[in-house]
Amino acid sequence: MTATAAAAPIDVYERLTSARLSPAQRRIARYVIDHRDAAAFLTSESIARQVGVSQPSVSRFAAALGYARFSDFKRALQKWARSEMSALPPAGESTSPLAEAIGTEVANLQWLGQSATLEEQISRVGAALMSSQRLPVIGLRISRSFAQHFAYLGGKVHPHISVIDRGDTEAKESLARAAAEGGTWCLAFILPRYPREACDLVRYARQIGLKAAVLSDESFATVGHETDELITVRFGSGLLFDTAAAMNIASSALLHAMADSNPGASQDGLERFERHATDLVVFEE
């Protein structure tokens, strides 16, 4: 464990580091320590899905730490997260831009973790995207890297995923072709300042019958853009260019939900990739 006693309230810290845990429980402990800001606001079912164990395993983990109920453990974990936030320099105190950016992103992730509807929305949208026979992923300008990353990983579980990273008539042709070949959804990453071409592509996709899921921030909905599903995150603006830790989390969660919605096909795709990687010696041993 890498946490220190100074970084956590003594109660939960001592229990996490001194309890005799099974291998599965150690995985839960590792996740909780590494993701405590988010885990403090998750349900036992959510933590179980993140770690890849059963919900009762998480309840038994809390019991192994000496908590009568999972809710008692969750309160202790929230106290830990709050203590770390209170350790950040107060507003107005001189801090480095890096420290301020990190503090902002911690708060952004906590806000994301407290959303009452996010988990259900991610699950619903992930299943919808996975069911689309063709899945175009839109990302222009600063959003291009998010779309490419999503499509690269998503291609391991969805056989027909493609990136649209330009806002011209060729991009519209790609959307129309996806719709004609069985596509029912498209996904768009639209980070501030909302390129006109990206917004135009989302409108065009909906005009030709595709449903559109968009990952953006809260302000996107206030400028008059229509989507079928809008997943909102918060960005950090303390550095020269915005930071987007919450966007990375939401994107990864969406990929996870896609795989969960069709585990058989996802497993086949992952195994196929591993065979190709082995045959082609893709990675250094």
Side-chain angles (χ1 to χ4, degrees), residues 15-90:
R15 296 187 190 206
L16 280 166
T17 55
S18 63
R20 298 185 62 181
L21 303 175
S22 70
Q25 290 170 342
R26 286 196 296 271
R27 286 169 54 199
I28 300 171
R30 179 76 274 160
Y31 174 81
V32 165
I33 288 177
D34 289 345
H35 305 87
R36 50 190 172 272
D37 294 324
F41 300 98
L42 296 179
T43 64
S44 58
E45 292 86 353
S46 298
I47 292 176
R49 282 196 292 271
Q50 293 295 327
V51 179
V53 298
S54 66
Q55 185 277 329
S57 294
V58 178
S59 298
R60 288 193 292 269
F61 166 75
L65 296 181
Y67 294 99
R69 299 177 299 275
F70 175 80
S71 59
D72 296 328
F73 168 68
K74 187 173 179 178
R75 280 193 292 272
L77 199 56
Q78 290 172 351
K79 183 179 178 183
W80 183 357
R82 286 193 296 270
S83 73
E84 292 191 326
M85 285 299 295
S86 65
L88 293 173

Side-chain angles (χ1 to χ4, degrees), residues 120-138 146-147 150-151 153-155 157-162 175 178 181-189 202 205 210-215 227-231 250-262 265-266:
E120 189 278 330
Q121 184 184 26
I122 289 283
S123 178
R124 181 179 68 247
V125 175
L129 297 180
M130 192 67 174
S131 70
S132 183
Q133 294 184 31
R134 296 290 187 274
L135 180 59
V137 180
I138 300 167
F146 290 94
F150 185 94
L153 295 176
V157 297
H158 191 298
H160 301 294
I161 188 169
S162 59
L175 286 170
E181 294 176 351
T184 52
W185 281 82
C186 69
L187 173 67
F189 292 85
V202 170
L210 290 172
K211 292 186 177 180
V214 174
L215 274 75
T227 67
D228 295 282
E229 292 280 0
L230 176 60
I231 299 173
S251 177
S252 294
L254 198 53
L255 286 165
H256 190 90
M258 286 174 62
D260 269 358
S261 71
N262 193 339
S266 299

Side-chain angles (χ1 to χ4, degrees), residues 102-214:
I102 291 172
T104 297
E105 289 293 25
V106 168
N108 288 345
L109 291 173
Q110 288 183 322
W111 174 84
L112 195 67
Q114 292 171 5
S115 171
T117 60
L118 178 66
E119 188 172 350
E120 189 278 330
Q121 184 184 26
I122 289 283
S123 178
R124 181 179 68 247
V125 175
L129 297 180
M130 192 67 174
S131 70
S132 183
Q133 294 184 31
R134 296 290 187 274
L135 180 59
V137 180
I138 300 167
L140 278 60
R141 297 183 180 270
I142 193 65
S143 303
R144 180 178 292 113
S145 62
F146 290 94
Q148 290 173 336
H149 182 261
F150 185 94
Y152 173 76
L153 295 176
K156 294 173 174 53
V157 297
H158 191 298
H160 301 294
I161 188 169
S162 59
V163 174
I164 296 178
D165 58 4
R166 48 195 292 180
D168 55 14
T169 55
E170 187 174 346
K172 291 183 177 180
E173 289 176 20
S174 296
L175 286 170
R177 185 164 52 250
E181 294 176 351
T184 52
W185 281 82
C186 69
L187 173 67
F189 292 85
I190 305 182
L191 279 64
R193 301 164 52 199
Y194 322 129
R196 271 193 314 236
E197 303 101 316
C199 298
D200 184 47
L201 287 177
V202 170
R203 284 191 290 267
Y204 178 75
R206 301 182 81 230
Q207 287 170 8
I208 63 173
L210 290 172
K211 292 186 177 180
V214 174

